[in-house]
Every structure is written in C-alpha cells, then in structure tokens.
Amino acid sequence: IGQLCAQVALAAGATVVMVGRSRHTEQLALARRMGVTHTVDSETTDVAEYVKGLTDGYGAHTVFECSGGSGVLEGVMPLLRRGGRIVLLAFFRTPPAVDVDRLLNHELELVGSRGKRASSYRTALRLMAQGQVDVEAIVGAKLPLDEWDKGIELVGRGVKVVLEVRPE
C-alpha cells in the first residue's frame, strides 16, 4: 500500500519521503527505483528533523500512514506543519493513541481513506495506463498456491506476494 501510495503522490507532483525501519531495506530500495528520492530508516534517522530540513522547518503538508504499526500514528503528528493532514490507509491491530490536544492546537486533519469509490478505480486505471503507477514492480514474489506457507512468511517480512492458481 505504501509503495502504491508513493507512486500516486509522485504522479501528483508531491515530494515523497518513504519511511521504514532497518528491516525494510529492500522496500526502501524499491521506492528509490520507483522514483522516491527521499527514503528514511526511522531507526537510524530522526524523521521529524529530516522532514523539517526538507520543508524549511514547516513540516509535511500530508502524511499517509500505511503500516498500521503500533506506535506509528503517535509519531506522525510531529512531522506535520500547522494545518497538516494525516491520512490513514492501514488498519490497526490495536487502537492507536491520538494526542487530541496536539490535533486541535495544530489544527491537524485526521482522515480515513479506503479508496473504494468508482472514481478511485478510474484514477488508478488511468495512472497505470499512463505508466505513472507500476503495480508489477511492487510484486516481490509470485508463488503457486500450494506454496502459500512460504508466501505468508514473505508477507511477514513486508514482501508483496501473489499466489497463482494454476489449472491442472
């Protein structure tokens, strides 16, 4: 989801910063190959300082949270400028904590997004047809259905897996 979100943001002309952890080295490298010029390992880099450096101290206009990871949402607010927007694309296993005081005082907007409208599909298909979104590039493995267990293990490491049903 994060890779696709980054491609759409690039197509819209945004400066994209892809954030991951040390275990996401391959995914960050893929993002760079797809045109993301700013990739950050949050375990070794202060992401808020990095973003402030890119934005003359203002902070990001919008942050798309695509991981649903525990504690991630709490770390997003310091990345945003006053009046910034957080777009939630991921589901969370446990309800995230939200600093409502910061949300109010910095006039932040919190938006949920599922992309299930007909217009979302039309936009996606148009961007794919124009070569601005490459869905094939994000597939890390194509496996036969009977290797689903290997696929699950790869998904746990953040790899996009397509299980293929092959006729017998």
Side-chain angles (χ1 to χ4, degrees), residues 22-138:
S22 298
R23 64 186 170 101
H24 300 128
T25 302
E26 291 176 23
Q27 287 82 6
L28 293 173
L30 173 61
R32 285 189 296 277
R33 289 193 301 275
M34 301 300 294
V36 175
T37 54
H38 303 280
T39 59
V40 178
D41 178 342
S42 64
E43 293 176 345
T44 61
T45 303
D46 182 328
V47 180
E49 289 302 315
Y50 188 91
V51 170
K52 285 179 184 175
L54 284 177
T55 61
D56 293 326
Y58 287 103
H61 177 276
T62 303
V63 172
F64 293 89
E65 206 304 288
C66 303
S67 73
S70 176
V72 173
L73 184 57
E74 295 87 331
V76 165
M77 288 190 202
L79 305 178
L80 290 161
R81 66 183 61 203
R82 181 171 298 282
R85 174 185 291 172
I86 304 165
V87 180
L88 303 177
L89 289 118
F91 289 102
F92 293 84
R93 288 188 180 143
T94 58
V98 176
D99 183 347
V100 176
D101 287 338
R102 185 173 187 119
L103 194 72
L104 292 170
N105 288 322
H106 287 86
E107 301 174 331
L108 301 177
E109 185 178 359
L110 183 60
V111 179
S113 178
R114 293 287 298 135
K116 299 273 183 180
R117 287 181 261 152
S119 61
S120 298
Y121 289 104
R122 284 191 293 274
T123 299
L125 291 170
R126 178 178 48 80
L127 290 172
M128 290 167 57
Q130 293 172 345
Q132 292 181 291
V133 171
D134 181 0
V135 294
E136 287 292 322
I138 67 166

Side-chain angles (χ1 to χ4, degrees), residues 143 147-155 161:
L143 302 171
E147 292 185 29
W148 64 268
D149 53 342
K150 180 179 178 184
I152 296 296
E153 187 265 322
L154 289 169
V155 167
V161 176

